[in-house]
Amino acid sequence: MEVFFVAAAIAFGAIFVGELGDKSQLMALTFATRYRLRTVILGLVIAIGALIGLSVGVGAAVGNLLPTDWIRLAAAAMFIGFGLWGLRGGAEEDDDEHAVKERRNGLLTIVPAMFLAEFGDKTMIIAMGMGSSYNPWGVWIGGTAGMLAADLLAVFAGAWVARRIPEKVVRYVSSGLFLAIGVLLGVEAVIALAD
C-alpha cells in the first residue's frame, strides 16, 4: 500500500507542476467562460482520467509508436472549428432546453478537446514514464488529481471572469483563444511533421 501512495504523491507533484502554465489551463479557463462550472469540471474529470489512464497503460516503451503529431493536428482543426463556431453567436432559447443542450454540447466539446490537445504532450509523457516505473494505479490516481488540481485553478478564474464581463465580450475573447490555441497546435504539429 505504501508503494501506491508514494507513486500517487510523486505523480501528483510532477504532473501538477508540469501543468502550471500549460495550454490545458488556458483551455480550462476558456471552457469555464462558456459553459456551466459543473459541466466543465465533469468534462475535465472524464478527459483527464482517460488521458492519464491511457498514458499509464501504454507505458513509455509503446509511447513512441503513437502518431501524436497527427493527433495534435486534428486537435488544432477542432480548436479552430470551436473558435469559429463560438463567433456565430446563438439564438435565444428556453432556459431549461438551453441547460440540457449546454450540458450535452459542453461535454461533447470539452472531453475530446482536452484529450486531443494533451495527447502526446508532456503530461502524457510524464505519466507514461512514471507508469512504467511506479505503481500504475498510484500514478493514475495521483496524475489525474494533479492535472485536475492545476486545471481547476484556471476553471475558477474563468468562472469568475464570466460572471463579471458581458457575455458578448466573453464569447469573442473565448473564441479568439480557441482560434489562437488551434493555430499554435497546428504550427507545432506541422513543424513536427516536417522534421
Side-chain angles (χ1 to χ4, degrees):
M1 196 62 156
E2 182 180 326
V3 173
F4 171 85
F5 288 117
V6 168
I10 292 171
F12 179 93
I15 290 179
F16 179 83
V17 170
E19 277 301 296
L20 293 177
D22 194 48
K23 67 182 168 290
S24 67
Q25 279 192 310
L26 181 59
M27 291 166 48
L29 184 143
T30 303
F31 288 136
T33 64
R34 296 188 60 121
Y35 302 107
R36 290 192 173 151
L37 195 57
R38 66 178 175 242
T39 301
V40 175
I41 293 170
L42 179 60
L44 290 175
V45 167
I46 293 168
I48 291 168
L51 177 76
I52 301 297
L54 175 66
S55 302
V56 170
V58 169
V62 181
N64 294 332
L65 302 176
L66 298 174
T68 56
D69 298 326
W70 286 103
I71 292 169
R72 190 170 290 138
L73 192 58
M78 183 186 300
F79 273 88
I80 291 169
F82 292 152
L84 294 173
W85 182 45
L87 289 174
R88 71 166 171 63
E92 295 299 319
E93 297 180 35
D94 176 60
D95 283 345
D96 290 338
E97 179 185 332
H98 177 71
V100 170
K101 187 181 280 187
E102 181 273 331
R103 251 189 321 276
R104 183 179 61 241
N105 291 341
L107 285 176
L108 292 176
T109 299
I110 294 165
V111 172
M114 286 296 291
F115 187 88
L116 288 174
E118 289 297 308
F119 197 91
D121 199 31
K122 66 183 174 226
T123 306
M124 189 172 188
I125 305 304
I126 291 169
M128 283 177 159
M130 293 187 76
S132 66
S133 304
Y134 294 96
N135 178 291
W137 291 106
V139 174
W140 179 56
I141 297 293
T144 300
M147 187 171 176
L148 189 60
D151 289 346
L152 285 178
L153 294 173
V155 166
F156 293 122
W160 181 85
V161 167
R163 284 192 304 270
R164 286 164 179 77
I165 297 177
E167 183 182 338
K168 194 172 198 174
V169 172
V170 169
R171 182 166 38 100
Y172 286 129
V173 170
S174 64
S175 292
L177 288 172
F178 274 117
L179 290 168
I181 292 169
V183 168
L184 290 173
L185 284 173
V187 167
E188 280 180 14
V190 168
I191 289 171
L193 287 168
D195 286 340

